[in-house]
Amino acid sequence: MNLYIGNLSRTVTEADLELIFEGLGHIVFVCLASPSGDRGYAFVAVADEGQARLAINAMNGKYLKGLRLIVRPVLDHARQARALRAHKAPRGSREAGARLRVLKGGQALD
C-alpha cells in the first residue's frame, strides 16, 4: 500500500524517511519528490495494509525537522474519481459531505 507523506522540510532525505518508517513495517520503496517551494512530499510503499494503517496512526501529525507531517493513504484511480464526484455533488448532498469528510480524514474510501 502506498502512503503520501506531505509537509516535508527541504532537508529531509530518502534515508531519513526509510529510517523513520522501517520500524513500522516492511518498506518496499521510498520516493522523495524534489520540492518546488518551502515544503516537499514523498511516497512510501509498505508491504501490506495493516502496516500502512500502523504507519499512518503513528506518524500523521508528528514533527520531522520542525514541520508537522501529513501521512495519508494514496487512493487508487477509482477511489479518487468517486471522491471527486462526491466533492462536486450539490452542496446539500449528505452523501457528498460524508465522503469528503472521510477523504479529508485520511481514510480510504470504499
Side-chain angles (χ1 to χ4, degrees), residues 5 8-21 30-33 35 41-44 64-65 69:
I5 316 301
L8 293 175
S9 166
R10 295 187 87 162
T11 61
V12 171
T13 65
E14 286 184 3
D16 293 332
L17 293 172
E18 287 174 6
L19 182 65
I20 290 168
F21 284 92
V30 173
C31 178
L32 183 65
Y41 64 94
F43 297 98
V44 173
L64 176 62
K65 296 192 177 187
L69 295 178

Side-chain angles (χ1 to χ4, degrees), residues 87-106:
H87 181 66
K88 289 183 177 181
R91 276 217 183 288
S93 170
R94 295 175 85 194
E95 180 183 0
R99 286 186 178 178
L100 187 56
R101 280 192 299 279
V102 169
L103 180 61
K104 284 183 178 178

Side-chain angles (χ1 to χ4, degrees), residues 13 23 27 54 57 64 68 73 76 79 84 88 101-102 110:
T13 65
I27 302 299
L54 177 67
N57 292 334
L64 176 62
R68 191 176 209 164
D76 64 33
R79 288 178 178 176
L84 183 58
K88 289 183 177 181
R101 280 192 299 279
V102 169
D110 292 328

Side-chain angles (χ1 to χ4, degrees), residues 13-77:
T13 65
E14 286 184 3
D16 293 332
L17 293 172
E18 287 174 6
L19 182 65
I20 290 168
F21 284 92
E22 74 182 353
L24 302 171
H26 175 69
I27 302 299
V28 177
F29 73 86
V30 173
C31 178
L32 183 65
S34 56
S36 57
D38 291 341
R39 298 179 181 114
Y41 64 94
F43 297 98
V44 173
V46 294
D48 64 48
E49 189 171 340
Q51 292 175 353
R53 296 284 170 216
L54 177 67
I56 291 167
N57 292 334
M59 298 306 299
N60 189 43
K62 301 293 183 198
Y63 285 87
L64 176 62
K65 296 192 177 187
L67 294 176
R68 191 176 209 164
L69 295 178
I70 298 168
V71 181
R72 295 196 174 128
V74 175
L75 302 177
D76 64 33
H77 293 295

